[in-house]
Structures are given as structure tokens and as C-alpha cells.
């Protein structure tokens, strides 16, 4: 992961954490869906609640002119997927303001779904498919090696 990508991850992480900050919370009621728009033409991340009300905007200058809101750059998508995954691993989405079922969804300018990044429902956790690609092949390879070792 590049140095600039790490800076973007830190910036996004802090921004998500600010949604629940005690001094100036942006969420004052439980939500079931967090919609994200990546506007790579303007170099901006926008967060919306499940009533399509804008919660916040964050400039990400490294993304400027690398795509559009309807077709974000692959680098921006990768960074966003990574930060959502890291927040899930740290238990961030377990806060009371994220009601179950809960999802984090990347949307276009018209709010049509580009990608579901996270879905939580009590015991079920589903991360975006690109993060899990190749898992089946890896499990098959592991099982094959395990069975060979048993013979």
C-alpha cells in the first residue's frame, strides 16, 4: 500500500470516527443505511443517512480528476473498501447509532447502488465481494494439501 494511500486511509478513518464524536456528533438518531458517494471529479467523499440527508463532505485531493461520482477511480474504491473493512474489524459499526440490519453502500449521484460495501444483521456480516474474491480457490487448495498430508 502506497504512502499516499495510507494518508487517505487515515483521513477517511478520522472522518468516519467524527460522525460519532461527543463534541459535535453528526448522527443524532439510529440509521440502517450509510450511503457513500465518491465524487472523483471534485475529489470529494460525501456521506448520507438513510433519509438521503447529507451528513458530511470530505475533500480528498488525491482523487480529484481521477473519475466521476458515477464511475469512481479504482484507487478510491480500494481505499474506501479498506477503511470500511478496518472499521469493521475494530468494532466501529457495532455502535448503537448503527441499527440492525445495517449497510454501508456506495451509490451514484442518483443514489442507485454501485456496490454494497458492508451488510450487518445480528450475527451475519457480509463484506463486499471484491474483498473475498479468490477465497474459494484458496480453500480448495488448502483442503487438497491437507488431504495429501493425511495419506
Amino acid at each position: 500500500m502506497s504512502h499516499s494511500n495510507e494518508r487517505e486511509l487515515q483521513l477517511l478513518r478520522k472522518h468516519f470516527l467524527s460522525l460519532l464524536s461527543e463534541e459535535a456528533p453528526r448522527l443524532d438518531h439510529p440509521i440502517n443505511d450509510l450511503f457513500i458517494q465518491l465524487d472523483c471529479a471534485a475529489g470529494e467523499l460525501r456521506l448520507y443517512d438513510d433519509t438521503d440527508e447529507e451528513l458530511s463532505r470530505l475533500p480528498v485531493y488525491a482523487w480529484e480528476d481521477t473519475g466521476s461520482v458515477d464511475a469512481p477511480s479504482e484507487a478510491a474504491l480500494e481505499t474506501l473498501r479498506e477503511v470500511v473493512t478496518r472499521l469493521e474489524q475494530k468494532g466501529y459499526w457495532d455502535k448503537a447509532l448503527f441499527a440492525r440490519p445495517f449497510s454501508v453502500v456506495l451509490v451514484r449521484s442518483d443514489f442507485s447502488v454501485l456496490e454494497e460495501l458492508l451488510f450487518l444483521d445480528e450475527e451475519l456480516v457480509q463484506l463486499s465481494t471484491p474483498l473475498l474474491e479468490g477465497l474459494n480457490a484458496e480453500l480448495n487448495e488448502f483442503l487438497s494439501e491437507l488431504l495429501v498430508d493425511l495419506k
Side-chain angles (χ1 to χ4, degrees), residues 51-123:
T51 63
D52 299 343
E53 182 180 327
E54 187 173 313
L55 298 169
S56 65
R57 287 177 182 235
L58 175 70
V60 185
Y61 300 112
W63 295 346
E64 196 169 20
D65 296 326
T66 62
S68 69
V69 70
D70 294 327
S73 70
E74 190 56 41
L77 287 170
E78 180 184 318
T79 302
L80 181 60
R81 289 176 189 130
E82 180 69 21
V83 78
V84 168
T85 300
R86 287 184 184 187
L87 289 169
E88 166 58 24
Q89 291 168 345
K90 299 278 185 187
Y92 174 76
W93 307 112
D94 294 333
K95 308 287 190 251
L97 286 173
F98 303 119
R100 299 297 188 262
F102 174 73
S103 65
V104 178
V105 182
L106 179 63
V107 295
R108 294 179 182 89
S109 57
D110 63 359
F111 282 83
S112 60
V113 174
L114 266 169
E115 183 177 326
E116 185 173 53
L117 301 169
L118 176 74
F119 178 77
L120 302 170
D121 186 14
E122 299 307 319
E123 299 299 317

